[in-house]
Amino acid sequence: MEHRFVSIALFTALIAALGLVPSFQLMSGVPISMQSLGVMLAGTVLGAKRGAAAVLLLQVLVVIGLPLLAGGRGGPGILAGPSVGFFIGWLPAAYVTGLVVERWRARSLTLVAAVAALLGGIVVMYVFGIIGMAWALERSLPQAALLSLPFIPGDAVKCVLTGLITNAVARARPSYLMSRQ
C-alpha cells in the first residue's frame, strides 16, 4: 500500500520537474512544455487510477499556489488562462492512457504505450485543451483547434518517447509497471 502512495508522489514530482525544462509560448499563450510527457508516463506506468491520482495531486498543488507548471506558473489564475483546458485535460488524459495500457494486451508494450499516449495524451487532452482555449480566448472551436495544431508534432514525439520509456521501465523493473498488473 505504501509503495502505491510513493509511486503517486514520485510521478507528481516527475510532472512538476518536467516543468523545469525550458518551455516557450506560441501565439495562443499556451506553453509548449515537457509536462504532458509526465502525464502520459503516469498513465502508462502507474495505470489509470494511480496515474490520474498523481495528476490530481499536482493539479491541487498548482491551484493552491505552488509554481509547479512550466515557467513557474501556479495559483487559481491558471483556471482562467488559455491553457486551462489542457491543465484540466491532464486528469482524463492520464486515466485514459493508463486504461488503454491496462486493457490492451499486445506483445509490444512499446506500441501499446505509444498508442495509449496518443489516445489519452493527444486525443483526450486536445478535446479539453481546444474547448479551454476557445473559452479563454473567446474564439470558435475551429479557431482554437487551428491554434492547437503546432503542438501536435511535439506531442507525437512524446507519444513515441512514452512507449520507449514505458518499455524500458518494464524491462528494468517489471514489478514497478503497475498499469500491467
Side-chain angles (χ1 to χ4, degrees), residues 140-157:
S140 69
L141 288 174
Q143 289 172 326
L146 284 173
L147 288 172
S148 70
L149 286 177
F151 296 98
I152 292 176
D155 285 339
V157 170

Side-chain angles (χ1 to χ4, degrees), residues 137-176:
L137 299 174
E138 298 179 354
R139 306 280 176 116
S140 69
L141 288 174
Q143 289 172 326
L146 284 173
L147 288 172
S148 70
L149 286 177
F151 296 98
I152 292 176
D155 285 339
V157 170
K158 292 175 199 170
C159 292
V160 172
L161 287 172
T162 298
L164 295 170
I165 294 167
T166 302
N167 190 50
V169 168
R171 287 177 185 258
R173 306 256 342 235
S175 64
Y176 198 79

Side-chain angles (χ1 to χ4, degrees), residues 63-136:
V63 170
I64 64 171
L66 294 177
L68 301 176
L69 295 181
R73 296 172 306 127
I78 191 70
L79 300 176
S83 62
V84 63
F86 289 100
F87 178 69
I88 291 170
W90 281 1
L91 184 67
Y95 186 84
V96 168
T97 300
L99 194 61
V100 171
V101 174
E102 288 171 4
R103 301 281 163 85
W104 186 14
R105 299 289 180 181
R107 272 185 199 254
S108 173
L109 179 57
T110 302
L111 175 65
V112 170
V115 171
L118 180 122
L119 294 173
I122 293 181
V123 175
V124 171
M125 193 180 315
Y126 277 60
V127 167
F128 285 87
I130 289 168
I131 292 169
M133 272 202 299
W135 171 77

Side-chain angles (χ1 to χ4, degrees), residues 12 15 38-39 42 50-60 87 90-91 94:
T12 299
I15 298 166
V39 171
R50 291 183 198 106
V55 170
L56 180 61
L57 178 56
L58 180 86
Q59 289 174 323
V60 168
F87 178 69
W90 281 1
L91 184 67

